[in-house]
Amino acid sequence: MADRMRPRTLEAFAGQAHLLAPGKAFRRALETDTLGSVILWGPPGSGKTTLAYLVATLTRSHFVAFSAVLSGVKEIREVIGEARERLRHEGRRTILFVDEIHRFNRSQQDAFLPHVERGTIILIGATTENPSFEVNSPLLSRCQVVVLQPLGHEELLVVLQRALTDSEQGLGAEGIEADPAALRFMAESAQGDARRALNVLERAALLATPEDSGRRLITLAMAEEALQQKSLPYDKAGEEHYNIISAFHKSLRGSDPDAALYWLGRMLEAGEDPLYVARRMVRFASEDIGNADPQALQVAITAMQAFDFIGLPEGKLALAQAAIYLATAPKSNATYRGYSRAVEDIEQRGALPVPLHVRNAPTRLMADLGYGRGYLYAHNFPEAHVAQEYLPEELRGHRYYEPSGRGYEEVIRDRLKSWRARTGGETPSADPASTPPAAGSGAPETAPPGPGPAEGRRGRRRQ
């Protein structure tokens, strides 16, 4: 019935008002037969194929349709050869509709390029996949991408009502009626897919046996029986995968545990790999929480291990518990920002030499060259802290990690502030002459001597 009920006029087309409302540019192109090559991108049941066949009824051009699932380069060449001859002898264009164009590989898509460029064919491609990922860039640049939206509940109700009353293509001749609650359920359960809604209606009609009065009524229970299971739209390799994991990550970052649980459920119930979600939470714990709550990383890793140990379905609760913890933890991206700044300096300045005083000296030659000379052993100073430069000379005084004042990072911030206050914010040289040990500590200025030449190889491993 979904195929029989395809609209045959623009006025009968449900939804996509942003394209087909009177006065819209796309509609004007259809009505004036000036449509160029386009890629129709939208979810299943949004009207891509229907729109293409409406073009066939409105255009004066020759219309050819085939599916990328069933056809290959050979068929493409045949169609293009015929289009070339038709244009040469009749002056008539050819519109080539390719359903599921994303099924063509790169070389197959390349076969269209010169002919679209020359105007031998007008290409209409239909796809449920993001064209940015699935269509060659050269071909994509020669086509307008037209985005179709999932149909709304009210638009789906119009489609269902039309199917119930249409005596030629629908169920009107069978005298079938539907409870409003049943229609609403079918519209809501279809999730924007007109084909799915019509298929459920057709199955429910088979369950509607005649009453004593001869009336056949589709009830809510019949609609539920016909649907059987609610299928969640989710493509683990496509755009919806990235959309939902992005919503999940941003809900955690925004400290919204309710949204985090919703998007987590959307992924897990649709069949996403739970360990993929767990790995994303481990990443989040470091990227967006960091030392504001050091426990967050441990919680995320423990949840991943718990799921690996328990499995489905019980393991989902471990992931849910971790998601709630991460969403409600104090947030800081200081670790992420600090590491990014350090990498930026590495990329811009290259491999700067390690300062001599913080190098290990496992051999006598290295010690004679000054390796380790002047190093101040932190444990020989009060609070195991001594002002000393550890960065290369060119990066002296650079700060990468700037803790926030949230969560445990407030403690870290105050500790760093206290240490820096002792030297006025400056980090002095490690030269023993300019950096004496703390007064009265009785501590040596350097660490105990390193291993001798015979222990050099082993000493390097330890350090």
Side-chain angles (χ1 to χ4, degrees):
M1 184 169 65
D3 186 64
R4 298 197 309 270
M5 288 301 301
R6 289 190 190 280
R8 290 165 173 74
T9 64
L10 289 175
E11 288 69 26
F13 196 98
Q16 315 309 332
H18 64 294
L19 300 174
L20 299 177
K24 294 295 183 179
F26 188 79
R27 176 166 180 151
R28 287 201 303 271
L30 295 180
E31 293 173 334
T32 58
D33 197 16
T34 57
L35 186 68
S37 292
V38 296
I39 302 293
L40 303 175
W41 172 32
S46 57
K48 300 181 296 298
T49 303
T50 298
L51 197 52
Y53 280 102
L54 279 177
V55 173
T57 65
L58 295 171
T59 184
R60 293 182 295 274
S61 301
H62 183 72
F63 186 88
V64 180
F66 66 82
S67 170
V69 176
L70 304 174
S71 307
V73 173
K74 178 184 177 183
E75 289 80 6
I76 294 173
R77 289 172 178 164
E78 291 175 356
V79 169
I80 289 174
E82 294 171 359
R84 188 184 299 112
E85 292 301 310
R86 188 176 298 110
L87 186 62
R88 180 184 303 163
H89 297 295
E90 303 176 20
R92 190 179 179 198
R93 301 184 309 165
T94 296
I95 294 179
L96 176 60
F97 170 56
V98 182
D99 199 9
E100 298 192 84
I101 193 171
H102 61 274
R103 301 275 188 172
F104 277 149
N105 61 36
R106 301 293 179 178
S107 62
Q108 290 172 317
Q109 292 181 24
D110 284 341
F112 294 116
L113 278 174
H115 311 291
V116 171
E117 183 74 28
R118 298 187 193 115
T120 306
I121 60 170
I122 302 297
L123 176 66
I124 300 179
T127 178
T128 57
E129 305 296 323
N130 190 325
S132 301
F133 301 146
E134 303 297 338
V135 179
N136 278 0
S137 296
L139 182 59
L140 194 61
S141 68
R142 291 164 174 78
C143 300
Q144 177 190 0
V145 176
V146 176
V147 180
L148 281 73
Q149 304 294 338
L151 272 64
H153 293 170
E154 296 302 318
E155 294 162 343
L156 286 170
L157 283 172
V158 170
V159 171
L160 292 169
Q161 288 283 10
R162 187 179 295 154
L164 276 173
T165 57
D166 190 316
S167 299
E168 294 183 9
Q169 310 299 332
L171 302 172
E174 300 181 34
I176 296 177
E177 302 175 25
D179 189 291
L183 288 180
R184 282 197 303 273
F185 174 77
M186 287 185 273
E188 292 170 359
S189 301
Q191 299 178 19
D193 186 335
R195 185 183 300 107
R196 181 182 297 168
L198 289 170
N199 287 341
V200 173
L201 175 63
E202 192 169 25
R203 291 195 298 270
L206 297 175
L207 302 173
T209 56
E211 300 174 352
D212 293 340
S213 62
R215 180 190 183 208
R216 294 176 63 188
L217 178 68
I218 297 174
T219 64
L220 177 59
M222 293 174 188
E224 292 174 339
E225 170 100 10
L227 184 62
Q228 292 187 348
Q229 184 176 357
K230 189 171 182 177
S231 176
L232 295 173
Y234 188 76
D235 182 352
K236 289 192 285 184
E239 189 203 11
E240 198 67 3
H241 162 83
Y242 296 105
N243 287 343
I244 294 182
I245 194 64
S246 175
F248 177 60
H249 195 125
K250 290 179 173 65
S251 299
L252 294 176
R253 181 184 293 148
S255 301
D256 188 335
D258 302 304
L261 286 175
Y262 173 79
W263 295 119
L264 175 67
R266 280 283 299 273
M267 289 186 286
L268 297 181
E269 298 307 313
E272 179 58 86
D273 178 7
L275 288 177
Y276 166 77
V277 181
R279 289 192 296 271
R280 288 298 297 246
M281 288 198 287
V282 171
R283 169 192 167 181
F284 178 88
S286 291
E287 180 179 338
D288 286 279
I289 297 176
N291 289 323
D293 184 352
Q295 183 78 4
L297 182 58
Q298 183 178 342
V299 168
I301 292 175
T302 302
M304 182 170 65
Q305 293 171 336
F307 178 85
D308 197 36
F309 180 67
I310 300 174
L312 290 170
E314 294 87 350
K316 293 178 183 178
L317 289 180
L319 301 182
Q321 179 183 348
I324 293 170
Y325 188 97
L326 298 180
T328 55
K331 304 298 189 296
S332 171
N333 67 346
T335 298
Y336 174 80
R337 288 185 292 109
Y339 183 75
S340 298
R341 290 168 183 166
V343 170
E344 184 178 347
D345 269 347
I346 293 167
E347 291 174 346
Q348 291 179 357
R349 299 170 184 266
L352 298 175
V354 177
L356 284 176
H357 67 282
V358 293
R359 297 188 191 187
N360 189 31
T363 69
R364 193 168 306 281
L365 173 61
M366 297 166 78
D368 291 342
L369 291 173
Y371 284 37
R373 186 179 301 159
Y375 169 63
L376 303 179
Y377 189 55
H379 291 287
N380 290 337
F381 293 83
E383 299 182 31
H385 174 264
V386 59
Q388 182 171 217
E389 184 62 68
Y390 299 95
L391 284 168
E393 181 63 29
E394 292 185 36
L395 299 177
R396 184 181 176 85
H398 278 224
R399 291 183 184 175
Y400 301 116
Y401 177 58
E402 294 290 349
S404 69
R406 296 181 290 277
Y408 185 69
E409 279 199 331
E410 181 179 9
V411 176
I412 299 174
R413 184 192 62 182
D414 292 344
R415 185 180 298 151
L416 288 174
K417 183 178 179 181
S418 173
W419 286 344
R420 289 165 179 166
R422 296 178 186 176
T423 56
E426 296 295 328
T427 307
S429 167
D431 183 345
S434 61
T435 312
S441 68
E445 292 181 340
T446 59
E455 301 175 315
R457 193 178 304 275
R458 184 178 60 193
R460 280 196 294 274
R461 277 203 303 271
R462 283 207 307 270
Q463 294 295 326

